[in-house]
Amino acid sequence: MKKIVGICLAVMMMVFASSIVIAEDSTDEYGIWDIDEFVDEFDMPAGEYYIVSDPLYGKFSNSATTNSDVTAFLFCEKFSDTKKPFIKLKLYEYDSYLVKNAYSSAKIYDIIMMDGAGVKHNLTGVMLSHNSALGIADDEEIATVINALKEGGTVRFAIVDSENNLNKYSFAIEDADGFDKAYSDWLAK
């Protein structure tokens, strides 16, 4: 019996010790940002990288609901042909239903971004036909978003479907700090 208790205590100490190491590793220089690698059809590393945020929480409204939960993820990727960066967002209504464009034509979204200094910027987002990524592809607008994220602080987004203003999304990046370092390291890959 003493041997079983001793083994249980040893296992609990190892679990506790490993959770301490994990907690120390989870606070890194990138903050809420990660640099991940794309994989191919065989789940093998593709040698191309992107930046992705931790989950960002906010609210959405449409003709069926008001102020329901939305989870967003912000991605910074490179166009494969030009290697220029672009920004895309993925939105999950009720924290689990991916927002998609089921139509045969692209959907346009009006985006207002408030940077850490409180300055509002008007942007345009496009969700292509049969797609789930809301992209910002204009070079100047991409630079505006990247600069706001690099400055850190709280960056807010308000998104409205330009054809149906009942479809609204809003969320905040409470602390964008760390993006500057992640962006610099990502460009070097």
Coordinates of all heavy atoms in Angstrom, one line a residue, residues 46-104:
A46 N 5.4 22.5 -45.0 CA 5.4 23.0 -46.4 C 6.5 24.1 -46.5 O 6.8 24.5 -47.6 CB 4.1 23.6 -46.8
G47 N 7.2 24.5 -45.4 CA 8.2 25.5 -45.6 C 7.7 26.9 -45.7 O 8.5 27.8 -45.9
E48 N 6.4 27.1 -45.5 CA 5.8 28.4 -45.6 C 5.1 28.7 -44.2 O 4.5 27.8 -43.7 CB 4.8 28.6 -46.7 CG 5.5 28.5 -48.1 CD 4.5 28.8 -49.2 OE1 3.5 29.5 -49.0 OE2 4.8 28.3 -50.3
Y49 N 5.3 29.9 -43.7 CA 4.8 30.2 -42.4 C 3.8 31.3 -42.4 O 3.7 32.1 -43.3 CB 6.0 30.6 -41.5 CG 7.0 29.5 -41.4 CD1 8.0 29.4 -42.4 CD2 7.0 28.6 -40.3 CE1 9.0 28.4 -42.3 CE2 8.0 27.6 -40.2 CZ 8.9 27.5 -41.2 OH 9.9 26.5 -41.1
Y50 N 3.0 31.4 -41.3 CA 2.1 32.5 -41.1 C 2.0 32.8 -39.6 O 2.4 32.0 -38.7 CB 0.7 32.0 -41.6 CG 0.1 30.8 -40.9 CD1 -0.8 30.9 -39.8 CD2 0.4 29.5 -41.3 CE1 -1.3 29.8 -39.2 CE2 -0.1 28.4 -40.7 CZ -1.0 28.6 -39.7 OH -1.5 27.5 -39.0
I51 N 1.5 34.0 -39.3 CA 1.2 34.4 -37.9 C -0.3 34.3 -37.7 O -1.1 34.6 -38.5 CB 1.6 35.9 -37.7 CG1 3.1 36.1 -38.1 CG2 1.3 36.4 -36.3 CD1 3.5 37.6 -38.1
V52 N -0.6 33.8 -36.5 CA -2.0 33.6 -36.1 C -2.1 34.1 -34.6 O -1.2 33.9 -33.8 CB -2.5 32.2 -36.3 CG1 -1.7 31.2 -35.4 CG2 -4.0 32.1 -36.0
S53 N -3.3 34.7 -34.3 CA -3.5 35.2 -33.0 C -4.1 34.0 -32.2 O -4.6 33.1 -32.7 CB -4.6 36.3 -33.0 OG -5.8 35.9 -33.4
D54 N -4.1 34.2 -30.9 CA -4.9 33.4 -30.0 C -6.4 33.7 -30.3 O -6.6 34.7 -30.9 CB -4.6 33.7 -28.5 CG -3.3 33.1 -28.0 OD1 -2.7 32.3 -28.8 OD2 -2.9 33.4 -26.9
P55 N -7.3 33.0 -29.7 CA -8.7 33.4 -30.0 C -9.0 34.8 -29.4 O -8.6 35.2 -28.4 CB -9.5 32.3 -29.1 CG -8.6 31.2 -29.0 CD -7.2 31.8 -29.0
L56 N -9.8 35.5 -30.2 CA -10.2 36.9 -29.9 C -11.7 36.9 -29.7 O -12.4 36.4 -30.6 CB -9.8 37.9 -31.0 CG -8.3 37.8 -31.4 CD1 -8.1 38.5 -32.8 CD2 -7.4 38.3 -30.3
Y57 N -12.2 37.4 -28.6 CA -13.6 37.3 -28.3 C -14.3 38.6 -28.5 O -13.8 39.7 -28.2 CB -13.8 36.8 -26.9 CG -13.1 35.4 -26.7 CD1 -11.9 35.3 -26.0 CD2 -13.7 34.3 -27.2 CE1 -11.2 34.1 -25.9 CE2 -13.1 33.1 -27.1 CZ -11.8 33.0 -26.4 OH -11.2 31.8 -26.3
G58 N -15.6 38.5 -28.9 CA -16.4 39.7 -29.2 C -17.9 39.3 -29.3 O -18.3 38.3 -28.8
K59 N -18.6 40.1 -30.0 CA -20.0 40.0 -30.2 C -20.4 40.1 -31.7 O -19.7 40.7 -32.4 CB -20.8 41.0 -29.4 CG -20.6 41.0 -27.9 CD -21.1 39.7 -27.3 CE -20.9 39.7 -25.8 NZ -21.3 38.4 -25.2
F60 N -21.5 39.4 -32.0 CA -22.1 39.6 -33.3 C -23.6 39.7 -33.3 O -24.2 39.3 -32.3 CB -21.7 38.5 -34.3 CG -22.5 37.2 -34.2 CD1 -23.6 37.0 -35.0 CD2 -22.2 36.3 -33.2 CE1 -24.3 35.8 -34.9 CE2 -23.0 35.1 -33.1 CZ -24.0 34.9 -33.9
S61 N -24.2 40.4 -34.3 CA -25.6 40.5 -34.4 C -26.0 40.3 -35.8 O -25.2 40.6 -36.8 CB -26.0 41.9 -34.0 OG -25.7 42.2 -32.6
N62 N -27.2 39.8 -36.0 CA -27.8 39.6 -37.3 C -29.3 39.7 -37.2 O -29.8 40.0 -36.1 CB -27.3 38.4 -38.1 CG -27.6 37.1 -37.3 OD1 -28.6 37.0 -36.6 ND2 -26.7 36.1 -37.5
S63 N -30.1 39.2 -38.2 CA -31.5 39.3 -38.1 C -32.1 38.4 -37.1 O -33.2 38.5 -36.7 CB -32.1 39.0 -39.5 OG -31.8 37.7 -39.9
A64 N -31.3 37.4 -36.6 CA -31.8 36.4 -35.7 C -31.3 36.5 -34.3 O -31.9 35.9 -33.4 CB -31.4 35.0 -36.2
T65 N -30.3 37.3 -34.1 CA -29.7 37.5 -32.7 C -29.1 38.8 -32.5 O -28.8 39.5 -33.5 CB -28.6 36.3 -32.5 OG1 -28.2 36.3 -31.1 CG2 -27.4 36.5 -33.4
T66 N -28.9 39.2 -31.3 CA -28.2 40.4 -30.9 C -27.2 40.2 -29.8 O -27.5 39.5 -28.9 CB -29.3 41.5 -30.4 OG1 -30.2 41.7 -31.4 CG2 -28.6 42.8 -30.1
N67 N -26.0 40.7 -30.1 CA -24.9 40.6 -29.1 C -24.6 39.1 -28.7 O -24.4 38.9 -27.5 CB -25.2 41.5 -27.9 CG -25.0 42.9 -28.3 OD1 -24.2 43.3 -29.1 ND2 -25.8 43.8 -27.6
S68 N -24.6 38.2 -29.6 CA -24.2 36.8 -29.3 C -22.7 36.7 -29.4 O -22.0 37.6 -30.0 CB -24.9 35.9 -30.3 OG -26.2 35.9 -30.0
D69 N -22.1 35.7 -28.9 CA -20.7 35.5 -28.8 C -20.1 35.2 -30.2 O -20.6 34.3 -31.0 CB -20.3 34.4 -27.9 CG -20.6 34.7 -26.4 OD1 -20.6 35.9 -26.1 OD2 -20.8 33.8 -25.6
V70 N -19.0 35.8 -30.5 CA -18.2 35.5 -31.7 C -16.7 35.3 -31.3 O -16.3 36.0 -30.3 CB -18.3 36.6 -32.8 CG1 -17.6 37.9 -32.4 CG2 -17.8 36.1 -34.1
T71 N -16.1 34.4 -31.9 CA -14.6 34.2 -31.7 C -14.0 34.5 -33.1 O -14.4 34.0 -34.1 CB -14.3 32.7 -31.3 OG1 -15.0 32.5 -30.0 CG2 -12.8 32.5 -31.1
A72 N -12.9 35.2 -33.0 CA -12.2 35.6 -34.2 C -10.7 35.2 -34.1 O -10.2 35.0 -33.0 CB -12.3 37.1 -34.5
F73 N -10.1 34.9 -35.3 CA -8.7 34.7 -35.4 C -8.1 35.6 -36.4 O -8.7 35.7 -37.5 CB -8.4 33.2 -35.7 CG -8.7 32.3 -34.6 CD1 -10.0 31.7 -34.6 CD2 -7.8 31.9 -33.7 CE1 -10.4 30.8 -33.6 CE2 -8.1 31.0 -32.7 CZ -9.4 30.4 -32.6
L74 N -7.0 36.2 -36.2 CA -6.4 37.1 -37.2 C -5.1 36.4 -37.7 O -4.3 35.9 -36.9 CB -6.0 38.5 -36.6 CG -5.5 39.5 -37.5 CD1 -6.0 40.9 -37.1 CD2 -4.0 39.5 -37.7
F75 N -5.0 36.4 -39.0 CA -3.9 35.7 -39.6 C -3.1 36.7 -40.4 O -3.7 37.6 -41.1 CB -4.3 34.6 -40.6 CG -5.0 33.5 -40.0 CD1 -6.4 33.6 -39.7 CD2 -4.4 32.3 -39.7 CE1 -7.1 32.5 -39.1 CE2 -5.1 31.2 -39.1 CZ -6.4 31.3 -38.8
C76 N -1.8 36.6 -40.4 CA -0.9 37.4 -41.3 C -0.2 36.4 -42.2 O 0.6 35.5 -41.6 CB 0.0 38.3 -40.5 SG 1.0 39.4 -41.6
E77 N -0.4 36.4 -43.5 CA 0.2 35.4 -44.4 C 0.9 36.2 -45.5 O 0.8 37.4 -45.7 CB -0.9 34.5 -45.0 CG -1.6 33.7 -43.9 CD -2.7 32.8 -44.5 OE1 -2.8 32.7 -45.7 OE2 -3.5 32.3 -43.7
K78 N 1.6 35.4 -46.4 CA 2.2 35.9 -47.6 C 1.5 35.4 -48.8 O 1.3 34.2 -48.9 CB 3.7 35.6 -47.6 CG 4.5 36.1 -46.5 CD 5.9 35.6 -46.5 CE 6.7 36.0 -45.3 NZ 8.0 35.3 -45.1
F79 N 1.3 36.3 -49.8 CA 0.8 35.8 -51.1 C 1.9 34.9 -51.6 O 3.1 35.3 -51.6 CB 0.6 37.0 -52.0 CG -0.7 37.7 -51.8 CD1 -0.7 39.0 -51.3 CD2 -1.9 37.2 -52.0 CE1 -1.8 39.8 -51.0 CE2 -3.1 37.9 -51.7 CZ -3.0 39.2 -51.2
S80 N 1.6 33.8 -52.1 CA 2.6 32.8 -52.6 C 3.4 33.3 -53.8 O 4.6 33.0 -53.9 CB 1.9 31.5 -52.9 OG 1.0 31.6 -53.9
D81 N 2.8 34.1 -54.7 CA 3.5 34.5 -55.8 C 4.4 35.7 -55.6 O 5.5 35.8 -56.1 CB 2.6 34.8 -57.0 CG 1.5 35.8 -56.7 OD1 1.2 36.0 -55.5 OD2 0.8 36.3 -57.6
T82 N 3.9 36.7 -54.8 CA 4.7 37.9 -54.6 C 5.4 38.0 -53.2 O 6.3 38.8 -53.0 CB 3.8 39.1 -54.6 OG1 2.8 39.1 -53.6 CG2 3.1 39.2 -56.0
K83 N 5.0 37.1 -52.3 CA 5.6 37.1 -50.9 C 5.2 38.3 -50.1 O 5.8 38.6 -49.1 CB 7.1 36.8 -50.9 CG 7.5 35.6 -51.6 CD 6.9 34.4 -50.9 CE 7.4 33.1 -51.5 NZ 6.7 31.9 -51.1
K84 N 4.2 39.1 -50.6 CA 3.8 40.3 -49.9 C 2.8 39.8 -48.8 O 2.1 38.9 -49.0 CB 3.0 41.2 -50.8 CG 3.8 42.0 -51.8 CD 2.8 42.8 -52.6 CE 3.3 43.9 -53.4 NZ 2.3 44.6 -54.1
P85 N 2.8 40.5 -47.7 CA 1.9 40.1 -46.6 C 0.5 40.5 -46.9 O 0.2 41.4 -47.6 CB 2.4 40.8 -45.4 CG 3.2 42.0 -45.9 CD 3.7 41.6 -47.3
F86 N -0.5 39.7 -46.4 CA -1.9 40.1 -46.4 C -2.5 39.6 -45.0 O -1.9 38.8 -44.3 CB -2.6 39.5 -47.6 CG -2.9 38.0 -47.6 CD1 -4.0 37.5 -47.1 CD2 -1.9 37.2 -48.1 CE1 -4.3 36.1 -47.1 CE2 -2.1 35.8 -48.1 CZ -3.3 35.3 -47.6
I87 N -3.6 40.2 -44.7 CA -4.3 40.0 -43.5 C -5.6 39.3 -43.8 O -6.3 39.6 -44.7 CB -4.6 41.3 -42.7 CG1 -3.3 42.1 -42.4 CG2 -5.4 41.0 -41.5 CD1 -2.4 41.4 -41.4
K88 N -6.0 38.3 -43.0 CA -7.3 37.6 -43.1 C -7.8 37.3 -41.7 O -7.1 37.2 -40.7 CB -7.3 36.4 -44.0 CG -6.7 35.2 -43.3 CD -6.8 34.0 -44.3 CE -6.3 32.7 -43.6 NZ -6.4 31.6 -44.5
L89 N -9.1 37.3 -41.6 CA -9.8 37.0 -40.4 C -10.7 35.8 -40.6 O -11.3 35.6 -41.7 CB -10.7 38.2 -40.0 CG -10.0 39.5 -39.7 CD1 -11.0 40.7 -39.7 CD2 -9.2 39.5 -38.5
K90 N -10.9 35.0 -39.6 CA -11.9 33.9 -39.5 C -12.8 34.2 -38.3 O -12.3 34.5 -37.2 CB -11.2 32.6 -39.4 CG -10.4 32.2 -40.7 CD -10.7 30.8 -41.1 CE -10.0 30.5 -42.4 NZ -10.5 29.3 -43.0
L91 N -14.1 34.1 -38.6 CA -15.1 34.4 -37.6 C -15.9 33.2 -37.3 O -16.3 32.5 -38.2 CB -16.0 35.6 -38.0 CG -15.3 36.9 -38.5 CD1 -16.2 37.8 -39.2 CD2 -14.7 37.6 -37.2
Y92 N -16.1 33.0 -36.0 CA -17.0 31.8 -35.5 C -18.1 32.3 -34.7 O -17.9 32.8 -33.6 CB -16.1 30.8 -34.7 CG -15.1 30.1 -35.5 CD1 -13.8 30.7 -35.8 CD2 -15.3 28.9 -36.1 CE1 -12.8 30.1 -36.5 CE2 -14.3 28.2 -36.8 CZ -13.1 28.8 -37.0 OH -12.1 28.2 -37.8
E93 N -19.3 32.3 -35.3 CA -20.5 32.7 -34.6 C -20.8 31.7 -33.5 O -20.6 30.5 -33.7 CB -21.7 32.8 -35.5 CG -21.5 33.9 -36.5 CD -22.6 34.0 -37.6 OE1 -23.4 33.1 -37.7 OE2 -22.7 35.1 -38.2
Y94 N -21.3 32.1 -32.4 CA -21.6 31.3 -31.2 C -20.3 30.5 -30.8 O -20.4 29.4 -30.3 CB -22.8 30.3 -31.4 CG -24.0 31.0 -31.9 CD1 -24.5 31.0 -33.2 CD2 -24.8 31.8 -31.0 CE1 -25.6 31.6 -33.6 CE2 -25.9 32.5 -31.4 CZ -26.3 32.4 -32.7 OH -27.5 33.0 -33.1
D95 N -19.2 31.0 -31.2 CA -17.9 30.4 -30.8 C -17.6 29.1 -31.5 O -16.6 28.5 -31.3 CB -17.7 30.3 -29.3 CG -17.7 31.6 -28.6 OD1 -17.3 32.6 -29.2 OD2 -18.2 31.6 -27.4
S96 N -18.5 28.7 -32.5 CA -18.2 27.4 -33.1 C -18.6 27.3 -34.6 O -18.2 26.4 -35.3 CB -18.9 26.3 -32.3 OG -20.3 26.5 -32.2
Y97 N -19.5 28.2 -35.1 CA -20.0 28.1 -36.5 C -19.2 29.0 -37.3 O -19.3 30.3 -37.2 CB -21.5 28.4 -36.6 CG -22.3 27.4 -35.8 CD1 -22.9 27.7 -34.6 CD2 -22.5 26.1 -36.3 CE1 -23.7 26.8 -33.9 CE2 -23.3 25.1 -35.7 CZ -23.8 25.5 -34.4 OH -24.6 24.6 -33.8
L98 N -18.3 28.5 -38.2 CA -17.5 29.3 -39.1 C -18.3 30.1 -40.0 O -19.2 29.5 -40.7 CB -16.5 28.4 -39.8 CG -15.5 29.0 -40.8 CD1 -14.6 30.0 -40.0 CD2 -14.7 28.0 -41.5
V99 N -18.1 31.4 -40.1 CA -18.8 32.3 -41.1 C -18.3 32.0 -42.4 O -17.1 32.0 -42.7 CB -18.6 33.8 -40.7 CG1 -19.2 34.7 -41.7 CG2 -19.2 34.0 -39.3
K100 N -19.2 31.7 -43.4 CA -18.8 31.4 -44.8 C -19.6 32.2 -45.7 O -20.7 32.6 -45.4 CB -19.0 29.9 -45.0 CG -18.2 28.9 -44.2 CD -18.6 27.5 -44.5 CE -17.8 26.5 -43.6 NZ -18.2 25.2 -43.9
N101 N -19.1 32.3 -46.9 CA -19.8 33.0 -48.0 C -20.3 31.8 -48.9 O -19.5 31.3 -49.7 CB -18.9 33.9 -48.8 CG -19.6 34.6 -50.0 OD1 -20.8 34.4 -50.2 ND2 -18.9 35.3 -50.8
A102 N -21.6 31.5 -48.8 CA -22.1 30.4 -49.7 C -22.6 30.9 -51.0 O -23.1 30.1 -51.8 CB -23.3 29.8 -48.9
Y103 N -22.4 32.2 -51.3 CA -22.9 32.8 -52.6 C -21.9 32.6 -53.7 O -20.7 32.3 -53.5 CB -23.2 34.3 -52.4 CG -24.3 34.5 -51.3 CD1 -24.0 34.9 -50.1 CD2 -25.7 34.2 -51.6 CE1 -25.0 35.1 -49.1 CE2 -26.7 34.4 -50.7 CZ -26.3 34.8 -49.4 OH -27.3 35.0 -48.5
S104 N -22.4 32.8 -54.9 CA -21.5 32.6 -56.1 C -20.7 33.9 -56.4 O -19.9 33.9 -57.3 CB -22.4 32.3 -57.3 OG -23.3 33.3 -57.6

